[in-house]
């Protein structure tokens, strides 16, 4: 079969898949326009409802109600949105999730709290060298501050951290295991339930970074008995640039760990302006300062769309998109020296597909000029982020076909 036959066949498959896609209607819910956007794992597209909701804020809750809006809605917003995220994407019962801070800061707070609660003799944090930079830097920082050592796992970059890797690193000296659920590079999905159980069997806590899984995988934090989790809201959750993070603390731990940035907004009675800090009951104590309301307004609208669709159909489409893109890459790019880095096993692959070729830095620059937008990851990777709510099969194919076109 020639390349153009293969492309014609892939085009008709894409058309069939789009016609059969139960989530196809969601594309019209997004604002703006682009020829092919394959970076929803880095910055999700805005939902159309975000614009009117921001305008309403300026004219209404901010412009007209002004400071009264703190009592009327804003004070509770980090917890209300947290609970909505918990119910719709995290598998978390109410009262365990809060929206606040950046991921980096929330990660610091929860990791510091977790190591602070570790009994004497548990002075090791297990983490991996393939994790996102911020996670590695925060681990090093917390370890230095709290007098712990870090036991680094060096996973197979194409596979990711396995339960066996974690088992080999565990021991009676481990306080906390920090891992990403989905690798930001390869898209590998770690076995969240198995690793959590394993860590618990050694008496350690687990802290999961869900940046690349929240909004695209069916995460079940409560069912897996997870202790702590953090994640971004501007990737698959479409909260917008700089939208705040979320933090999850299992109810059983909320009174047992102490977060390191006590602030007035996490106080039991903020407006008493008391002399000393008394933490609020429940998740409010994990809030430090004034919540970023502006950054939560588009997020609330995006969560609304996810609530209408449900996370299971979102994951189903994510798997189909991944399979289709891998098949297209095999047929259009493999003969040109491009490798598929992401797992081929649907269960072990998250919401993006990573391809590798030494020429990709230049290829991505050319793609962006053509309004085809994936991202480049050092040294030779293209990540194709497949956002099930906003990415069509035709759009995903357009990206792969355009890579074939511009590849030298
Ligand atoms: C995107 C990402 C972050 C980003 O942290 P910010 O504080 O929001 O910049 C952190 N960790 C992981 C694993 C990520 O993928």
């Amino acid at each position: 079969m020639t390349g153009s036959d293969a492309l014609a066949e892939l085009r008709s498959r894409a058309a069939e898949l789009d016609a059969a896609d139960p989530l196809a209607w969601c594309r019209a819910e997004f604002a703006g326009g682009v020829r092919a956007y394959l970076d929803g794992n880095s910055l999700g597209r805005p939902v159309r409802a975000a614009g009117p909701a921001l305008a309403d804020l300026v004219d209404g809750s901010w412009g007209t109600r002004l400071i009264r809006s703190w009592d009327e809605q804003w004070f509770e917003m980090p917890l209300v949105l947290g609970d909505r995220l918990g119910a719709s994407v995290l598998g978390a019962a109410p009262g365990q999730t809060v929206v606040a801070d950046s991921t980096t800061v929330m990660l610091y707070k929860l990791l510091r709290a977790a190591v602070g609660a570790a009994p004497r003799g548990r002075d090791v944090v297990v983490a991996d060298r393939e994790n996102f930079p911020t996670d590695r830097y925060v681990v090093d920082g917390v370890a230095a501050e709290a007098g712990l050592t870090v036991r680094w796992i060096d996973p197979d970059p194409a596979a990711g951290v396995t339960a066996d890797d974690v088992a080999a690193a565990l021991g009676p000296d481990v306080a906390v295991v920090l891992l990403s659920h989905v690798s930001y590079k390869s898209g590998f999905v770690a076995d969240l339930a198995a690793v959590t159980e394993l860590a618990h069997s050694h008496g350690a806590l687990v802290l999961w970074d869900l940046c690349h899984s929240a909004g695209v995988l069916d995460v079940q934090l409560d069912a897996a008995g997870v202790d702590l989790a953090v994640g971004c809201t501007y990737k698959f959750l479409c909260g917008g640039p700089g939208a705040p993070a979320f933090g999850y603390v299992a109810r059983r731990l909320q009174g047992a760990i102490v977060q390191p940035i006590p602030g007035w907004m996490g106080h039991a009675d903020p407006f008493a302006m008391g002399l000393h800090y008394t933490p609020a009951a429940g998740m409010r104590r994990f809030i430090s300062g004034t919540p970023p309301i502006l950054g939560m307004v588009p997020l609330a609208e995006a969560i609304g769309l996810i609530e209408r669709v449900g996370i299971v159909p979102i994951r189903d489409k994510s798997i189909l998109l991944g399979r289709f893109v891998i098949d297209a890459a095999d047929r259009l790019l493999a003969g040109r020296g491009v490798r598929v880095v992401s797992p081929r096993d649907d269960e072990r692959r998250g919401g993006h597909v990573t391809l590798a070729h030494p020429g990709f830095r230049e290829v991505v620059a050319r793609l962006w000029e053509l309004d085809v937008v994936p991202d480049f990851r050092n040294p030779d990777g293209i990540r194709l982020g497949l956002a099930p709510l906003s990415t069509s099969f035709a759009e995903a194919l357009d990206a792969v076909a355009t890579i074939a076109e511009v590849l030298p």
Side-chain angles (χ1 to χ4, degrees), residues 8-182:
E9 199 180 290
L10 285 162
R11 285 215 173 100
S12 72
R13 280 254 318 286
E16 280 165 32
L17 286 161
D18 279 324
D21 174 14
L23 272 53
W25 63 271
C26 297
R27 285 168 54 74
E29 300 290 312
F30 286 83
V34 55
R35 176 177 154 190
Y37 188 61
L38 285 303
D39 217 359
N41 58 324
S42 190
L43 177 67
R45 293 180 56 189
V47 292
R48 209 173 274 288
L54 283 165
D56 279 355
L57 172 89
V58 172
D59 291 333
S61 58
W62 180 12
T64 306
R65 298 307 295 163
L66 287 152
I67 197 171
R68 292 169 287 189
S69 287
W70 281 110
D71 290 337
E72 289 164 1
Q73 51 171 304
W74 293 339
F75 190 65
E76 293 301 327
M77 209 164 151
L79 300 164
V80 169
L81 270 193
D83 282 348
R84 286 176 65 189
L85 268 182
S88 59
V89 317
L90 301 176
Q96 303 178 102
T97 311
V98 68
V99 173
D101 306 318
S102 64
T103 309
T104 303
V105 171
M106 184 59 80
L107 180 67
Y108 167 75
K109 284 162 67 170
L110 297 193
L111 184 62
R112 187 68 186 82
V115 303
R120 281 174 66 91
R122 288 196 180 267
D123 52 8
V124 170
V125 179
V126 170
D128 76 284
R129 283 213 175 81
E130 285 290 307
N131 209 340
F132 192 82
T134 235
D135 298 62
R136 290 182 277 111
Y137 306 158
V138 166
V139 169
D140 272 335
V142 166
E145 184 184 318
L148 277 75
T149 53
V150 185
R151 188 167 296 147
W152 291 104
I153 293 172
D154 281 298
D156 173 352
V161 182
T162 63
D164 287 346
D165 292 335
V166 177
L170 280 167
D173 53 355
V174 175
V176 183
V177 177
L178 164 69
L179 295 175
S180 276
H181 187 199
V182 173

Side-chain angles (χ1 to χ4, degrees), residues 61-382:
S61 58
W62 180 12
T64 306
R65 298 307 295 163
L66 287 152
I67 197 171
R68 292 169 287 189
S69 287
W70 281 110
D71 290 337
E72 289 164 1
Q73 51 171 304
W74 293 339
F75 190 65
E76 293 301 327
M77 209 164 151
L79 300 164
V80 169
L81 270 193
D83 282 348
R84 286 176 65 189
L85 268 182
S88 59
V89 317
L90 301 176
Q96 303 178 102
T97 311
V98 68
V99 173
D101 306 318
S102 64
T103 309
T104 303
V105 171
M106 184 59 80
L107 180 67
Y108 167 75
K109 284 162 67 170
L110 297 193
L111 184 62
R112 187 68 186 82
V115 303
R120 281 174 66 91
R122 288 196 180 267
D123 52 8
V124 170
V125 179
V126 170
D128 76 284
R129 283 213 175 81
E130 285 290 307
N131 209 340
F132 192 82
T134 235
D135 298 62
R136 290 182 277 111
Y137 306 158
V138 166
V139 169
D140 272 335
V142 166
E145 184 184 318
L148 277 75
T149 53
V150 185
R151 188 167 296 147
W152 291 104
I153 293 172
D154 281 298
D156 173 352
V161 182
T162 63
D164 287 346
D165 292 335
V166 177
L170 280 167
D173 53 355
V174 175
V176 183
V177 177
L178 164 69
L179 295 175
S180 276
H181 187 199
V182 173
S183 159
Y184 81 103
K185 287 184 181 167
S186 69
F188 174 86
V189 181
D191 192 337
L192 180 139
V195 169
T196 299
E197 200 183 318
L198 196 58
H200 288 172
S201 73
H202 286 77
L205 296 175
V206 281
L207 197 176
W208 285 100
D209 186 324
L210 307 176
C211 281
H212 277 87
S213 55
V216 74
L217 260 69
D218 183 11
V219 181
Q220 292 291 340
L221 295 180
D222 287 351
V226 167
D227 302 298
L228 304 151
V230 298
C232 292
T233 66
Y234 52 79
K235 292 174 177 166
F236 289 109
L237 291 171
C238 302
F246 63 84
Y248 164 94
V249 180
R251 189 181 294 281
R252 63 182 178 279
L253 285 175
Q254 289 171 10
I257 63 175
V258 178
Q259 69 106 332
I261 311 182
W264 75 299
M265 277 282 170
H267 193 281
D269 188 2
F271 296 98
M273 307 286 168
L275 197 52
H276 299 291
Y277 177 73
T278 307
M283 277 311 282
R284 175 169 294 284
R285 65 179 56 194
F286 294 94
I287 297 174
S288 295
T290 302
I293 301 300
L294 284 174
M296 294 187 203
V297 169
L299 174 63
E301 299 305 320
I303 294 173
L305 179 59
I306 293 171
E307 287 167 340
R308 281 159 72 193
V309 175
I311 197 69
V312 170
I314 291 175
R315 174 58 174 156
D316 289 347
K317 180 173 174 188
S318 145
I319 288 175
L320 291 183
L321 279 165
R323 256 189 226 162
F324 180 66
V325 161
I326 289 175
D327 185 39
D330 283 344
R331 295 168 73 180
L332 302 178
L333 297 171
R336 314 272 302 278
V338 173
R339 289 179 300 117
V340 173
V341 175
S342 297
R344 286 170 182 272
D345 174 1
D346 292 340
E347 289 303 305
R348 294 269 74 86
R349 185 182 62 250
H352 65 275
V353 170
T354 305
L355 307 175
H357 185 282
F360 271 172
R361 187 186 296 274
E362 291 71 26
V363 166
V364 170
R366 183 73 191 113
L367 291 174
W368 281 28
E369 287 166 12
L370 296 169
D371 206 26
V372 172
V373 187
D375 71 13
F376 175 73
R377 276 292 172 269
N378 246 341
D380 60 357
I382 282 183

